[in-house]
Amino acid sequence: MKVKTVEIVKRVYIVFTTMFRRLRRKCKSHIYDCVIVCGYPANNDGSPSAFMKTRVKKAAELILEGKAKYLILSGGAVANSYIEAEVMKAYAMELGIKEEVIIEEKKAVSTYHNMMYVKQIMVENRFENCIVVTNGWHLRKADYYSGKFGLDYVMVKSKESEGVSILQTMKQYVYINMQMYYMMLKGYY
């Protein structure tokens, strides 16, 4: 039984890595036009969730280090009434990001929509390249949609969320990968 499980895991891994290419992580440019942060639901009280915080913190680091000029925060009100982009903006400003470099995208309800709407913003602002920041478990999905919408991008992983157990993080990895398989089987990939 244990050998069969290992074989199944190996086969799933091979299929997955064949269907979804390696991530673009190597920076091609010294300075990018913008950093994109994929939204994640805020807490029910409107405060930034742990996953959201790590994404915004990493993006703020990149802006403050001069790696990019603008910050695009993408996300609508998905899991509750709080618009993710607005919550992320308030948190980014607490971290020292100036309001004039922040662009909010408030309609996205999924990673697909994050990248679709961000592509429009990039075209409108004549941005040529970007850094996409998200959690490790979300990288492959964000990478796929960034490529699908023709972004010139590099992926950057945020740190693991404080106060979130390894089990909860692993659940996210499994959930996202299963969701991608399901979408692939339905013909969306």
Side-chain angles (χ1 to χ4, degrees):
M1 181 75 170
K2 191 173 184 179
V3 173
K4 266 189 167 179
T5 304
V6 170
E7 275 304 307
I8 291 170
V9 169
K10 284 181 184 177
R11 289 179 185 173
V12 167
Y13 176 78
I14 289 168
V15 169
F16 192 79
T17 55
T18 301
M19 293 297 299
F20 303 102
R21 64 181 178 72
R22 292 183 67 88
L23 303 176
R24 292 186 195 180
R25 287 192 180 174
K26 188 168 184 165
C27 293
K28 299 177 281 183
S29 176
H30 293 293
I31 300 175
Y32 288 81
D33 291 324
C34 61
V35 176
I36 298 167
V37 179
C38 299
Y40 189 86
N43 292 324
N44 287 330
D45 65 358
S47 63
S49 62
F51 289 128
M52 180 188 281
K53 278 183 170 183
T54 60
R55 294 177 186 189
V56 175
K57 277 182 189 176
K58 184 62 179 179
E61 285 174 22
L62 294 167
I63 294 288
L64 295 171
E65 290 171 2
K67 302 282 185 190
K69 302 170 197 165
Y70 291 91
L71 176 58
I72 301 176
L73 303 169
S74 178
V78 178
N80 52 41
S81 63
Y82 297 99
I83 297 171
E84 295 166 7
E86 292 175 354
V87 176
M88 290 190 289
K89 178 181 178 180
Y91 187 58
M93 291 174 65
E94 284 178 28
L95 296 173
I97 304 302
K98 295 179 180 155
E99 187 172 14
E100 56 267 16
V101 303
I102 298 174
I103 300 169
E104 294 172 274
E105 181 291 299
K106 300 178 183 183
K107 298 182 288 188
V109 295
S110 67
T111 309
Y112 175 91
H113 292 104
N114 287 138
M115 297 312 163
M116 180 178 76
Y117 293 132
V118 162
K119 173 66 175 184
Q120 293 170 358
I121 291 170
M122 287 182 68
V123 168
E124 290 166 7
N125 287 279
R126 295 191 173 113
F127 295 160
E128 294 180 14
N129 54 31
C130 60
I131 301 170
V132 179
V133 174
T134 192
N135 301 95
W137 49 265
H138 190 242
L139 280 173
R140 194 168 297 278
K141 187 174 184 182
D143 177 70
Y144 176 79
Y145 286 122
S146 296
K148 182 175 182 69
F149 287 103
L151 302 181
D152 181 6
Y153 68 100
V154 63
M155 301 300 297
V156 172
K157 176 186 169 200
S158 63
K159 292 182 180 175
E160 295 301 328
S161 302
E162 293 178 20
V164 176
S165 71
I166 285 183
L167 181 61
Q168 189 177 359
T169 300
M170 293 310 293
K171 282 181 184 178
Q172 290 291 351
Y173 273 99
V174 170
Y175 172 75
I176 288 294
N177 288 318
M178 295 308 293
Q179 185 183 49
M180 288 180 74
Y181 275 125
Y182 175 73
M183 298 303 269
M184 180 182 67
L185 292 173
K186 288 189 79 171
Y188 293 120
Y189 285 99

PDB file of all heavy atoms in Angstrom, residues 139-165:
ATOM      1  N   LEU A 139       2.580  30.402  -5.982  1.00  0.00           N
ATOM      2  CA  LEU A 139       3.481  30.820  -7.063  1.00  0.00           C
ATOM      3  C   LEU A 139       3.147  30.200  -8.418  1.00  0.00           C
ATOM      4  O   LEU A 139       3.098  30.895  -9.430  1.00  0.00           O
ATOM      5  CB  LEU A 139       4.932  30.463  -6.716  1.00  0.00           C
ATOM      6  CG  LEU A 139       5.663  31.393  -5.767  1.00  0.00           C
ATOM      7  CD1 LEU A 139       7.015  30.793  -5.398  1.00  0.00           C
ATOM      8  CD2 LEU A 139       5.838  32.777  -6.355  1.00  0.00           C
ATOM      9  N   ARG A 140       2.967  28.899  -8.455  1.00  0.00           N
ATOM     10  CA  ARG A 140       2.763  28.220  -9.743  1.00  0.00           C
ATOM     11  C   ARG A 140       1.484  28.705 -10.429  1.00  0.00           C
ATOM     12  O   ARG A 140       1.457  28.921 -11.634  1.00  0.00           O
ATOM     13  CB  ARG A 140       2.734  26.713  -9.555  1.00  0.00           C
ATOM     14  CG  ARG A 140       2.858  25.964 -10.859  1.00  0.00           C
ATOM     15  CD  ARG A 140       3.113  24.493 -10.666  1.00  0.00           C
ATOM     16  NE  ARG A 140       4.344  24.154  -9.999  1.00  0.00           N
ATOM     17  CZ  ARG A 140       5.534  24.092 -10.585  1.00  0.00           C
ATOM     18  NH1 ARG A 140       5.650  24.377 -11.852  1.00  0.00           N
ATOM     19  NH2 ARG A 140       6.591  23.750  -9.899  1.00  0.00           N
ATOM     20  N   LYS A 141       0.441  28.910  -9.671  1.00  0.00           N
ATOM     21  CA  LYS A 141      -0.815  29.386 -10.249  1.00  0.00           C
ATOM     22  C   LYS A 141      -0.669  30.820 -10.768  1.00  0.00           C
ATOM     23  O   LYS A 141      -1.077  31.134 -11.886  1.00  0.00           O
ATOM     24  CB  LYS A 141      -1.935  29.307  -9.204  1.00  0.00           C
ATOM     25  CG  LYS A 141      -3.298  29.616  -9.740  1.00  0.00           C
ATOM     26  CD  LYS A 141      -4.355  29.364  -8.683  1.00  0.00           C
ATOM     27  CE  LYS A 141      -5.742  29.584  -9.231  1.00  0.00           C
ATOM     28  NZ  LYS A 141      -6.762  29.381  -8.201  1.00  0.00           N
ATOM     29  N   ALA A 142      -0.065  31.680  -9.969  1.00  0.00           N
ATOM     30  CA  ALA A 142       0.153  33.069 -10.403  1.00  0.00           C
ATOM     31  C   ALA A 142       1.092  33.114 -11.604  1.00  0.00           C
ATOM     32  O   ALA A 142       0.904  33.914 -12.525  1.00  0.00           O
ATOM     33  CB  ALA A 142       0.712  33.892  -9.246  1.00  0.00           C
ATOM     34  N   ASP A 143       2.098  32.245 -11.608  1.00  0.00           N
ATOM     35  CA  ASP A 143       3.025  32.164 -12.734  1.00  0.00           C
ATOM     36  C   ASP A 143       2.285  31.773 -14.009  1.00  0.00           C
ATOM     37  O   ASP A 143       2.496  32.366 -15.071  1.00  0.00           O
ATOM     38  CB  ASP A 143       4.124  31.152 -12.414  1.00  0.00           C
ATOM     39  CG  ASP A 143       5.093  30.951 -13.566  1.00  0.00           C
ATOM     40  OD1 ASP A 143       5.873  31.891 -13.838  1.00  0.00           O
ATOM     41  OD2 ASP A 143       5.072  29.872 -14.178  1.00  0.00           O
ATOM     42  N   TYR A 144       1.425  30.792 -13.912  1.00  0.00           N
ATOM     43  CA  TYR A 144       0.685  30.325 -15.080  1.00  0.00           C
ATOM     44  C   TYR A 144      -0.138  31.469 -15.686  1.00  0.00           C
ATOM     45  O   TYR A 144      -0.091  31.720 -16.888  1.00  0.00           O
ATOM     46  CB  TYR A 144      -0.226  29.146 -14.722  1.00  0.00           C
ATOM     47  CG  TYR A 144      -1.059  28.723 -15.902  1.00  0.00           C
ATOM     48  CD1 TYR A 144      -0.501  27.932 -16.912  1.00  0.00           C
ATOM     49  CD2 TYR A 144      -2.373  29.146 -16.031  1.00  0.00           C
ATOM     50  CE1 TYR A 144      -1.251  27.575 -18.020  1.00  0.00           C
ATOM     51  CE2 TYR A 144      -3.126  28.790 -17.133  1.00  0.00           C
ATOM     52  CZ  TYR A 144      -2.561  28.006 -18.131  1.00  0.00           C
ATOM     53  OH  TYR A 144      -3.305  27.670 -19.235  1.00  0.00           O
ATOM     54  N   TYR A 145      -0.900  32.177 -14.858  1.00  0.00           N
ATOM     55  CA  TYR A 145      -1.758  33.240 -15.372  1.00  0.00           C
ATOM     56  C   TYR A 145      -0.960  34.474 -15.818  1.00  0.00           C
ATOM     57  O   TYR A 145      -1.360  35.173 -16.737  1.00  0.00           O
ATOM     58  CB  TYR A 145      -2.838  33.616 -14.362  1.00  0.00           C
ATOM     59  CG  TYR A 145      -3.915  32.561 -14.272  1.00  0.00           C
ATOM     60  CD1 TYR A 145      -4.204  31.931 -13.079  1.00  0.00           C
ATOM     61  CD2 TYR A 145      -4.629  32.181 -15.402  1.00  0.00           C
ATOM     62  CE1 TYR A 145      -5.170  30.956 -13.000  1.00  0.00           C
ATOM     63  CE2 TYR A 145      -5.601  31.201 -15.329  1.00  0.00           C
ATOM     64  CZ  TYR A 145      -5.873  30.592 -14.139  1.00  0.00           C
ATOM     65  OH  TYR A 145      -6.838  29.618 -14.068  1.00  0.00           O
ATOM     66  N   SER A 146       0.174  34.734 -15.189  1.00  0.00           N
ATOM     67  CA  SER A 146       1.026  35.838 -15.641  1.00  0.00           C
ATOM     68  C   SER A 146       1.491  35.573 -17.069  1.00  0.00           C
ATOM     69  O   SER A 146       1.487  36.470 -17.920  1.00  0.00           O
ATOM     70  CB  SER A 146       2.237  35.991 -14.722  1.00  0.00           C
ATOM     71  OG  SER A 146       1.837  36.336 -13.424  1.00  0.00           O
ATOM     72  N   GLY A 147       1.880  34.348 -17.330  1.00  0.00           N
ATOM     73  CA  GLY A 147       2.288  33.969 -18.684  1.00  0.00           C
ATOM     74  C   GLY A 147       1.129  33.980 -19.655  1.00  0.00           C
ATOM     75  O   GLY A 147       1.248  34.428 -20.798  1.00  0.00           O
ATOM     76  N   LYS A 148      -0.017  33.502 -19.218  1.00  0.00           N
ATOM     77  CA  LYS A 148      -1.209  33.448 -20.068  1.00  0.00           C
ATOM     78  C   LYS A 148      -1.594  34.842 -20.580  1.00  0.00           C
ATOM     79  O   LYS A 148      -2.016  34.998 -21.720  1.00  0.00           O
ATOM     80  CB  LYS A 148      -2.373  32.827 -19.301  1.00  0.00           C
ATOM     81  CG  LYS A 148      -3.648  32.687 -20.104  1.00  0.00           C
ATOM     82  CD  LYS A 148      -4.699  31.957 -19.304  1.00  0.00           C
ATOM     83  CE  LYS A 148      -5.976  31.744 -20.072  1.00  0.00           C
ATOM     84  NZ  LYS A 148      -5.880  30.807 -21.171  1.00  0.00           N
ATOM     85  N   PHE A 149      -1.435  35.851 -19.734  1.00  0.00           N
ATOM     86  CA  PHE A 149      -1.796  37.206 -20.129  1.00  0.00           C
ATOM     87  C   PHE A 149      -0.621  37.988 -20.719  1.00  0.00           C
ATOM     88  O   PHE A 149      -0.720  39.190 -20.944  1.00  0.00           O
ATOM     89  CB  PHE A 149      -2.454  37.952 -18.968  1.00  0.00           C
ATOM     90  CG  PHE A 149      -3.847  37.463 -18.725  1.00  0.00           C
ATOM     91  CD1 PHE A 149      -4.127  36.625 -17.666  1.00  0.00           C
ATOM     92  CD2 PHE A 149      -4.872  37.800 -19.593  1.00  0.00           C
ATOM     93  CE1 PHE A 149      -5.403  36.134 -17.456  1.00  0.00           C
ATOM     94  CE2 PHE A 149      -6.162  37.315 -19.400  1.00  0.00           C
ATOM     95  CZ  PHE A 149      -6.427  36.480 -18.326  1.00  0.00           C
ATOM     96  N   GLY A 150       0.489  37.309 -20.964  1.00  0.00           N
ATOM     97  CA  GLY A 150       1.602  37.909 -21.691  1.00  0.00           C
ATOM     98  C   GLY A 150       2.402  38.941 -20.913  1.00  0.00           C
ATOM     99  O   GLY A 150       2.997  39.834 -21.512  1.00  0.00           O
ATOM    100  N   LEU A 151       2.441  38.816 -19.600  1.00  0.00           N
ATOM    101  CA  LEU A 151       3.240  39.755 -18.818  1.00  0.00           C
ATOM    102  C   LEU A 151       4.724  39.439 -18.981  1.00  0.00           C
ATOM    103  O   LEU A 151       5.100  38.277 -19.119  1.00  0.00           O
ATOM    104  CB  LEU A 151       2.873  39.671 -17.328  1.00  0.00           C
ATOM    105  CG  LEU A 151       1.425  39.939 -16.934  1.00  0.00           C
ATOM    106  CD1 LEU A 151       1.264  39.825 -15.426  1.00  0.00           C
ATOM    107  CD2 LEU A 151       0.960  41.288 -17.416  1.00  0.00           C
ATOM    108  N   ASP A 152       5.566  40.450 -18.957  1.00  0.00           N
ATOM    109  CA  ASP A 152       7.018  40.276 -18.866  1.00  0.00           C
ATOM    110  C   ASP A 152       7.306  40.381 -17.373  1.00  0.00           C
ATOM    111  O   ASP A 152       7.300  41.463 -16.801  1.00  0.00           O
ATOM    112  CB  ASP A 152       7.742  41.367 -19.651  1.00  0.00           C
ATOM    113  CG  ASP A 152       9.251  41.216 -19.613  1.00  0.00           C
ATOM    114  OD1 ASP A 152       9.748  40.201 -19.069  1.00  0.00           O
ATOM    115  OD2 ASP A 152       9.939  42.125 -20.100  1.00  0.00           O
ATOM    116  N   TYR A 153       7.534  39.250 -16.732  1.00  0.00           N
ATOM    117  CA  TYR A 153       7.522  39.206 -15.277  1.00  0.00           C
ATOM    118  C   TYR A 153       8.576  38.266 -14.710  1.00  0.00           C
ATOM    119  O   TYR A 153       9.158  37.449 -15.412  1.00  0.00           O
ATOM    120  CB  TYR A 153       6.153  38.723 -14.798  1.00  0.00           C
ATOM    121  CG  TYR A 153       5.896  37.273 -15.156  1.00  0.00           C
ATOM    122  CD1 TYR A 153       6.076  36.267 -14.212  1.00  0.00           C
ATOM    123  CD2 TYR A 153       5.503  36.911 -16.437  1.00  0.00           C
ATOM    124  CE1 TYR A 153       5.861  34.937 -14.541  1.00  0.00           C
ATOM    125  CE2 TYR A 153       5.282  35.587 -16.766  1.00  0.00           C
ATOM    126  CZ  TYR A 153       5.464  34.607 -15.828  1.00  0.00           C
ATOM    127  OH  TYR A 153       5.258  33.296 -16.158  1.00  0.00           O
ATOM    128  N   VAL A 154       8.755  38.402 -13.409  1.00  0.00           N
ATOM    129  CA  VAL A 154       9.534  37.469 -12.613  1.00  0.00           C
ATOM    130  C   VAL A 154       8.729  37.208 -11.342  1.00  0.00           C
ATOM    131  O   VAL A 154       8.016  38.099 -10.862  1.00  0.00           O
ATOM    132  CB  VAL A 154      10.942  38.033 -12.305  1.00  0.00           C
ATOM    133  CG1 VAL A 154      10.867  39.285 -11.472  1.00  0.00           C
ATOM    134  CG2 VAL A 154      11.826  37.010 -11.652  1.00  0.00           C
ATOM    135  N   MET A 155       8.809  35.985 -10.831  1.00  0.00           N
ATOM    136  CA  MET A 155       8.066  35.612  -9.620  1.00  0.00           C
ATOM    137  C   MET A 155       8.960  35.783  -8.394  1.00  0.00           C
ATOM    138  O   MET A 155      10.134  35.431  -8.431  1.00  0.00           O
ATOM    139  CB  MET A 155       7.622  34.144  -9.680  1.00  0.00           C
ATOM    140  CG  MET A 155       6.737  33.777 -10.856  1.00  0.00           C
ATOM    141  SD  MET A 155       5.177  34.680 -10.940  1.00  0.00           S
ATOM    142  CE  MET A 155       4.371  34.165  -9.425  1.00  0.00           C
ATOM    143  N   VAL A 156       8.375  36.296  -7.314  1.00  0.00           N
ATOM    144  CA  VAL A 156       9.097  36.417  -6.045  1.00  0.00           C
ATOM    145  C   VAL A 156       8.195  35.864  -4.947  1.00  0.00           C
ATOM    146  O   VAL A 156       7.029  36.245  -4.825  1.00  0.00           O
ATOM    147  CB  VAL A 156       9.492  37.873  -5.744  1.00  0.00           C
ATOM    148  CG1 VAL A 156      10.066  37.998  -4.338  1.00  0.00           C
ATOM    149  CG2 VAL A 156      10.491  38.384  -6.769  1.00  0.00           C
ATOM    150  N   LYS A 157       8.755  34.976  -4.160  1.00  0.00           N
ATOM    151  CA  LYS A 157       8.018  34.332  -3.072  1.00  0.00           C
ATOM    152  C   LYS A 157       8.111  35.180  -1.809  1.00  0.00           C
ATOM    153  O   LYS A 157       9.184  35.617  -1.417  1.00  0.00           O
ATOM    154  CB  LYS A 157       8.633  32.950  -2.812  1.00  0.00           C
ATOM    155  CG  LYS A 157       8.036  32.208  -1.661  1.00  0.00           C
ATOM    156  CD  LYS A 157       8.812  30.924  -1.413  1.00  0.00           C
ATOM    157  CE  LYS A 157       8.368  30.338  -0.097  1.00  0.00           C
ATOM    158  NZ  LYS A 157       9.331  29.401   0.436  1.00  0.00           N
ATOM    159  N   SER A 158       6.969  35.378  -1.173  1.00  0.00           N
ATOM    160  CA  SER A 158       6.974  36.044   0.132  1.00  0.00           C
ATOM    161  C   SER A 158       7.375  35.037   1.197  1.00  0.00           C
ATOM    162  O   SER A 158       7.390  33.831   0.952  1.00  0.00           O
ATOM    163  CB  SER A 158       5.586  36.626   0.424  1.00  0.00           C
ATOM    164  OG  SER A 158       4.628  35.594   0.517  1.00  0.00           O
ATOM    165  N   LYS A 159       7.703  35.539   2.367  1.00  0.00           N
ATOM    166  CA  LYS A 159       8.072  34.647   3.470  1.00  0.00           C
ATOM    167  C   LYS A 159       6.852  33.863   3.936  1.00  0.00           C
ATOM    168  O   LYS A 159       5.722  34.243   3.667  1.00  0.00           O
ATOM    169  CB  LYS A 159       8.637  35.461   4.638  1.00  0.00           C
ATOM    170  CG  LYS A 159       9.965  36.090   4.312  1.00  0.00           C
ATOM    171  CD  LYS A 159      10.509  36.848   5.498  1.00  0.00           C
ATOM    172  CE  LYS A 159      11.854  37.459   5.112  1.00  0.00           C
ATOM    173  NZ  LYS A 159      12.400  38.288   6.149  1.00  0.00           N
ATOM    174  N   GLU A 160       7.110  32.796   4.657  1.00  0.00           N
ATOM    175  CA  GLU A 160       5.999  32.031   5.229  1.00  0.00           C
ATOM    176  C   GLU A 160       5.308  32.900   6.281  1.00  0.00           C
ATOM    177  O   GLU A 160       5.947  33.694   6.960  1.00  0.00           O
ATOM    178  CB  GLU A 160       6.507  30.727   5.856  1.00  0.00           C
ATOM    179  CG  GLU A 160       7.093  29.750   4.850  1.00  0.00           C
ATOM    180  CD  GLU A 160       6.131  29.324   3.750  1.00  0.00           C
ATOM    181  OE1 GLU A 160       4.912  29.248   3.986  1.00  0.00           O
ATOM    182  OE2 GLU A 160       6.610  29.070   2.626  1.00  0.00           O
ATOM    183  N   SER A 161       4.030  32.738   6.395  1.00  0.00           N
ATOM    184  CA  SER A 161       3.224  33.570   7.282  1.00  0.00           C
ATOM    185  C   SER A 161       3.445  33.226   8.748  1.00  0.00           C
ATOM    186  O   SER A 161       3.429  32.057   9.121  1.00  0.00           O
ATOM    187  CB  SER A 161       1.746  33.402   6.942  1.00  0.00           C
ATOM    188  OG  SER A 161       1.526  33.738   5.595  1.00  0.00           O
ATOM    189  N   GLU A 162       3.650  34.262   9.551  1.00  0.00           N
ATOM    190  CA  GLU A 162       3.790  34.078  10.999  1.00  0.00           C
ATOM    191  C   GLU A 162       2.437  33.696  11.588  1.00  0.00           C
ATOM    192  O   GLU A 162       1.403  34.214  11.180  1.00  0.00           O
ATOM    193  CB  GLU A 162       4.283  35.373  11.640  1.00  0.00           C
ATOM    194  CG  GLU A 162       5.693  35.737  11.251  1.00  0.00           C
ATOM    195  CD  GLU A 162       6.141  37.055  11.862  1.00  0.00           C
ATOM    196  OE1 GLU A 162       5.533  37.498  12.860  1.00  0.00           O
ATOM    197  OE2 GLU A 162       7.092  37.634  11.328  1.00  0.00           O
ATOM    198  N   GLY A 163       2.470  32.794  12.529  1.00  0.00           N
ATOM    199  CA  GLY A 163       1.239  32.392  13.189  1.00  0.00           C
ATOM    200  C   GLY A 163       0.418  31.378  12.402  1.00  0.00           C
ATOM    201  O   GLY A 163      -0.673  31.014  12.814  1.00  0.00           O
ATOM    202  N   VAL A 164       0.924  30.954  11.247  1.00  0.00           N
ATOM    203  CA  VAL A 164       0.228  29.947  10.445  1.00  0.00           C
ATOM    204  C   VAL A 164       1.010  28.652  10.556  1.00  0.00           C
ATOM    205  O   VAL A 164       2.219  28.622  10.317  1.00  0.00           O
ATOM    206  CB  VAL A 164       0.117  30.402   8.966  1.00  0.00           C
ATOM    207  CG1 VAL A 164      -0.505  29.312   8.124  1.00  0.00           C
ATOM    208  CG2 VAL A 164      -0.678  31.692   8.862  1.00  0.00           C
ATOM    209  N   SER A 165       0.328  27.584  10.921  1.00  0.00           N
ATOM    210  CA  SER A 165       1.010  26.300  11.114  1.00  0.00           C
ATOM    211  C   SER A 165       1.507  25.725   9.791  1.00  0.00           C
ATOM    212  O   SER A 165       0.990  26.062   8.724  1.00  0.00           O
ATOM    213  CB  SER A 165       0.072  25.301  11.783  1.00  0.00           C
ATOM    214  OG  SER A 165      -0.937  24.903  10.870  1.00  0.00           O
TER     215      SER A 165
END
